[in-house]
């Protein structure tokens, strides 16, 4: 599941975040967002790792740092009348479900209670829903540069999370087959895009 999700996330970063950001405003806003997202995830992951060791917390942090800007972009798209592409929704689902399953199973192995895990995912869901509402509310005041920067932020956070947590954990758990399953996840999500 982690390997498949990693492939889907690589596709989402490539086609739904980075490429869309470039179309919206060019390279500078996307690059600034990319750097901000990567540095934010890197720093936040180090803090989380001190309190909750293991890949589960890192994957949950990745879901949060990816989810908030992703949902803000969806809110902006809805408010501007662009709608939401089915391919983006499918890519979000295809990538986030394995990420959530992997994080939850790692947290259970680390002896976190089911209630704690459910509260954590509930908080992530509420924050992401609020990000959609915020994106919808500020859509008229945002430019393509802001949306491109948000896309870049999500892409940067995701890339660091993929390399630091998700891909190594998938390879550790599944062995060499993880690479093939990652390609399958990429292909499915890319096909949906």
């Amino acid at each position: 599941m982690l390997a498949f999700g990693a492939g889907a996330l690589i596709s989402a970063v490539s086609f739904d975040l980075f490429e869309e950001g470039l179309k919206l405003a060019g390279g500078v806003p996307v690059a600034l967002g990319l750097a901000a997202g990567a540095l934010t995830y890197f720093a936040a992951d180090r803090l989380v790792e001190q309190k909750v060791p293991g890949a589960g917390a890192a994957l949950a942090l990745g879901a949060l740092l990816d989810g908030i800007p992703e949902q803000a972009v969806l809110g902006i798209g809805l408010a501007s009348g662009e709608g939401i592409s089915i391919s983006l929704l499918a890519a979000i689902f295809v990538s986030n479900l394995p990420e959530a399953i992997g994080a939850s199973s790692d947290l259970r192995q680390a002896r976190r209670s089911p209630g704690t895990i459910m509260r954590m995912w509930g908080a992530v869901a509420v924050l992401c829903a609020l990000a959609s509402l915020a994106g919808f509310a500020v859509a008229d005041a945002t430019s393509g540069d802001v949306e491109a920067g948000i896309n870049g932020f999500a892409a940067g956070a995701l890339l660091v999370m993929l390399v630091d947590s998700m891909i190594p954990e998938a390879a550790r758990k599944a062995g060499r087959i993880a690479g093939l399953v990652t390609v399958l996840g990429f292909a499915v999500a890319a096909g949906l895009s």
Side-chain angles (χ1 to χ4, degrees):
M1 291 298 286
L2 283 173
F4 186 87
L9 285 172
I10 292 167
S11 174
V13 166
S14 301
F15 302 117
D16 295 319
L17 296 172
F18 196 81
E19 185 176 43
E20 284 300 313
L22 289 176
K23 286 178 187 174
L24 281 169
V28 173
V30 176
L32 292 172
L34 191 72
L39 292 170
T40 299
Y41 179 85
F42 183 82
D45 183 47
R46 298 310 172 264
L47 292 173
V48 167
E49 198 173 86
Q50 291 173 356
K51 294 187 184 272
V52 186
L59 294 172
L61 175 65
L64 179 66
L65 290 180
D66 159 50
I68 289 174
E70 202 170 62
Q71 298 307 310
V73 167
L74 290 177
I76 291 168
L78 282 174
S80 65
E82 295 172 14
I84 300 172
S85 76
I86 296 297
S87 65
L88 178 58
L89 287 177
I92 290 170
F93 179 77
V94 165
S95 62
N96 288 339
L97 185 62
E99 185 179 17
I101 291 169
S104 298
S105 68
D106 283 353
L107 289 168
R108 281 298 295 146
Q109 287 178 348
R111 303 206 187 282
R112 301 284 181 232
S113 73
T116 298
I117 295 168
M118 293 296 285
R119 283 189 297 280
M120 178 199 68
W121 286 118
V124 169
V126 166
L127 290 170
C128 288
L130 291 173
S132 290
L133 290 173
F136 189 87
V138 302
D140 291 337
T142 62
S143 66
D145 288 353
V146 171
E147 193 173 344
I150 292 170
N151 280 351
F153 183 93
L158 277 174
L159 286 171
V160 176
M161 185 271 299
L162 281 164
V163 172
D164 284 359
S165 302
M166 200 166 187
I167 292 172
E169 188 72 6
R172 185 181 69 75
K173 288 182 174 180
R176 295 178 60 95
I177 194 81
L180 293 174
V181 177
T182 300
V183 172
L184 177 63
F186 179 87
V188 168
L192 294 171
S193 291

